[in-house]
Amino acid sequence: MRSTKNSDYMMMLATYGLRFLVVVFMIAAAATFLHVNNYRPKQIFLSCDRPCHHLDWPMICRLKLTLEVFQSLSKSCGDCPQNETACLTKHCVSADGHRRGILTANRQLPGPTIQVCENDILVVDVINRLPGKAAAVHWRGQSQIESPYMDGAPLVTQCPIPSYTTFQYKFRASVAGTHLWHSHAGADVSNGVFGALIVKQADIRDPHRPLYDIDDPNHVVLLSHWQHLPEIALTEGHVKPAILLVNGRGRQSNGPNVPYTRFTVIPGRRHRFRVANAGGAGTCPITISIDAHPILLIALDGHPVEPRQVTSITLAKGERADFILKANKAIASYWMNLHTSKECGTKPINGAAILRYKGSTTKEPQSVTETTDQLEVEESMRRLAMTTNPAEKCGNPENLCVTEIQSLRKMPTVLRAPKTDVTIRLPINYKMQTNDIVGNSGAEMRILNVNNVTFTYPSSPLLTQGTDVTEETLCSSTSDDNDDARNENNETASLSSRRCRRGDGLASDTCECVHVRYVPLGATVEIILLDQGGFDDLVYHLHGYSFYVVGARKFGRSLPLQELKDLDEKGQLFPRNLDCTVAKDTVVVPKFGAVALRFKADNPGYWMLRDEHAAEWTRGLDVVLQVGETSDMVPAPQDFPKCGSFVGPDYFLI
């Protein structure tokens, strides 16, 4: 009996010993394999700003944006601008050396640049510490197809974030490219609440990867208009900016000796730069160029285009561009020049930054004359100024319009048909109205409208609390309209068929209401924006979608809507590019002109067609597209914040 137990014990020891030897052997074999193959443990990244690989799992990227009142040249700047080094300290906003009150995110101007990989999950806590001011943050360029309630359009997709509260945005960064995050209110952007959102692709997915060597995260160029007074009241419009800033820095001629923004490049290497016009106090487009260096345009609004070598790029508010710069000139420093056009405003506004070659010993860039000479001797160099205006200076051999640029990808087949399922024509105009406010002496004021509708916001978000919005506040087509609004074969909604709330005593036929246009889910859509009022600053951004700019034209006069329809029916409005036209999410409407946009309505929700130059939330020129029925839309989480009007009980305590 005892011998049997001993034999069992010895057998168990032998079994465990054999298992131990097998494990040791496997570990040794694995270690030998890794050593022979020169394996190094994968780097542990402390942030989502990392090299992107197509086989990596998406990361969850968390950050906080604290919105608060701040000041340029605050105590954080020490003895800046007398000491230029002090201007570079943390939380020092030097701008152009002028002290003024500003609004910031994390006490930076601009706010933090967010850099992630395609399909990463962004979790952003927006902490609103702006006293008495509600806020919302829009993530420009992101379609929010999985989370439309995270789009950041107040009272359309979410409640505004009240003062001293926090709202957490959670969404997938599914659209690669150079984008922006910014406050919804124009005045907040003018005062500093904006930043870059860079969604990078894995090398294997980037069609332009062979064209550049370095994509430096520090080569993000954020342009903005800067003024010396905080944004003024909505009724007074914009103040003329003092200077154009690059990443929050600039210097006036004969002004304080504050630092410029500097970009360092490695001689002989090809560098990718990402540029965005964040807007700000002014409305004029901004032109960027670099002394002695041609630049290779490769993307617009995050979408790749056929590479074009140009000498300058002009961007309107909210537009973005990517370009490649080859550092093949003499090792020195060069000016990066900014200016607005002579045609916009009383005189051009300028700004600058510095492009520095690594190893350069010169602090200040060369003179313009020397760098111009270098550019002129560049072989096979053609001077070509690129502009995103779809109709201005087109056909000129020295200019390149956005409609003359080719996309890398063809338009979807479904959008190439001569006619789309839905056509929405939106004439943009204004009417003069007498202001009867006491003390104004009957002064006339300009009431802006789109198809005779002046946009205003609902009391609750259309997406998340649509049942709380009264029909009396909506200008929208209904199922009993005698147009094709719900059958969706032609124009949507006519003024006579809209329910709208008119101002008391208003004699004109202009309505002030929530301007909503219904589009069936899955329909092909063409929107024609027509400027009848002669506006200099019409720029529109479509939330939730990218569109194709298929045609544009200037008329030189105010064209009636019926005449536009007649020209279009005869095929004389403009030729449509239905092949490789560019995809964008922001477009310039030519002065006294029209532009046509096409997209497929495959993202259900309420999406703003947003007028970019409203001084606050709106100046009346916005439109909301309702894509699909409410049942088609992704529902908000159960505990999503709610808001709306409060009306007390029908009785009073006595």
Side-chain angles (χ1 to χ4, degrees), residues 320 331 378 486:
R320 295 89 67 201
I331 297 178
E378 179 82 18
R486 297 247 170 191

Side-chain angles (χ1 to χ4, degrees), residues 358-576:
K358 187 176 181 179
S360 171
T361 56
T362 59
K363 184 178 180 181
E364 292 295 324
Q366 302 178 47
S367 70
V368 175
T369 304
E370 292 171 341
T371 56
T372 301
D373 292 341
Q374 289 189 41
L375 187 59
E376 288 176 348
V377 300
E378 179 82 18
E379 292 184 6
S380 70
M381 176 60 199
R382 176 188 171 195
R383 291 185 176 275
L384 194 63
M386 181 268 164
T387 175
T388 56
N389 191 309
E392 189 72 33
K393 301 178 181 177
C394 295
N396 186 325
E398 294 187 352
N399 291 279
L400 181 68
C401 292
V402 69
T403 48
E404 298 168 332
I405 298 172
Q406 298 294 306
S407 172
L408 271 187
R409 306 182 183 99
K410 288 182 176 290
M411 283 180 64
T413 305
V414 70
L415 292 176
R416 294 188 210 166
K419 296 290 184 180
T420 53
D421 299 330
V422 178
T423 300
I424 303 176
R425 300 179 181 92
L426 298 175
I428 305 160
N429 211 331
Y430 66 90
K431 293 187 178 181
M432 302 305 297
Q433 178 181 319
T434 302
N435 192 336
D436 296 327
I437 298 175
V438 176
N440 256 5
S441 304
E444 283 194 326
M445 60 186 299
R446 198 164 67 161
I447 305 298
L448 309 183
N449 63 77
V450 176
N451 202 16
N452 294 318
V453 175
T454 298
F455 181 84
T456 189
Y457 284 88
S459 56
S460 298
L462 294 169
L463 179 68
T464 58
Q465 294 176 248
T467 55
D468 295 340
V469 180
T470 60
E471 290 189 355
E472 289 75 15
T473 63
L474 300 176
C475 304
S476 59
S477 56
T478 59
S479 57
D480 58 354
D481 287 338
N482 292 322
D483 55 25
D484 295 322
R486 297 247 170 191
N487 297 325
E488 299 308 331
N489 193 15
N490 207 328
E491 191 83 20
T492 64
S494 61
L495 181 63
S496 60
S497 67
R498 295 193 190 98
R499 296 181 180 139
C500 63
R501 174 173 53 83
R502 300 176 182 271
D504 293 338
L506 184 63
S508 71
D509 60 352
T510 297
C511 298
E512 183 188 42
C513 46
V514 186
H515 191 172
V516 179
R517 293 297 185 104
Y518 174 80
V519 176
L521 184 61
T524 57
V525 184
E526 180 170 279
I527 297 177
I528 300 179
L529 296 167
L530 170 65
D531 174 27
Q532 294 179 326
F535 296 95
D536 289 316
D537 60 347
L538 277 182
V539 180
Y540 274 88
H541 167 59
L542 180 58
H543 292 222
Y545 286 92
S546 293
F547 49 73
Y548 295 90
V549 184
V550 297
R553 178 180 173 183
K554 288 189 72 172
F555 304 105
R557 61 184 177 88
S558 181
L559 190 77
L561 180 59
Q562 187 57 50
E563 186 175 345
L564 178 134
K565 291 181 181 180
D566 294 340
L567 287 173
D568 202 13
E569 288 172 1
K570 296 175 183 176
Q572 299 174 355
L573 183 58
F574 37 58
R576 286 173 170 82

Side-chain angles (χ1 to χ4, degrees), residues 8-21:
D8 290 344
Y9 179 71
M10 295 301 294
M11 182 66 72
M12 182 181 66
L13 288 178
T15 302
Y16 281 113
L18 182 61
R19 289 178 180 176
F20 176 75
L21 289 174

Side-chain angles (χ1 to χ4, degrees), residues 620-631:
L621 297 182
D622 303 303
V623 179
V624 174
L625 300 183
Q626 178 192 340
V627 178
E629 303 292 344
T630 305
S631 57

Side-chain angles (χ1 to χ4, degrees), residues 154-188:
L155 297 177
V156 177
T157 61
Q158 70 168 91
C159 296
I161 309 169
S163 297
Y164 303 107
T165 66
T166 299
F167 183 90
Q168 188 174 84
Y169 290 94
K170 295 180 185 177
F171 62 93
R172 187 185 304 277
S174 59
V175 183
T178 301
H179 306 299
L180 287 164
W181 63 264
H182 56 81
S183 174
H184 181 78
D188 294 353

Side-chain angles (χ1 to χ4, degrees), residues 97-174:
H98 182 88
R99 181 178 283 110
R100 57 157 282 198
I102 56 176
L103 307 180
T104 61
N106 298 1
R107 298 189 174 183
Q108 300 176 36
L109 181 70
T113 294
I114 302 172
Q115 306 219 21
V116 298
C117 291
E118 188 178 19
N119 288 322
D120 279 351
I121 307 298
L122 265 170
V123 181
V124 185
D125 292 333
V126 176
I127 305 167
N128 182 9
R129 292 183 180 169
L130 303 175
K133 191 174 185 64
V137 174
H138 174 53
W139 310 94
R140 181 183 291 261
Q142 297 306 303
S143 62
Q144 304 289 0
I145 195 164
E146 298 173 301
S147 51
Y149 42 83
M150 293 295 173
D151 185 52
L155 297 177
V156 177
T157 61
Q158 70 168 91
C159 296
I161 309 169
S163 297
Y164 303 107
T165 66
T166 299
F167 183 90
Q168 188 174 84
Y169 290 94
K170 295 180 185 177
F171 62 93
R172 187 185 304 277
S174 59

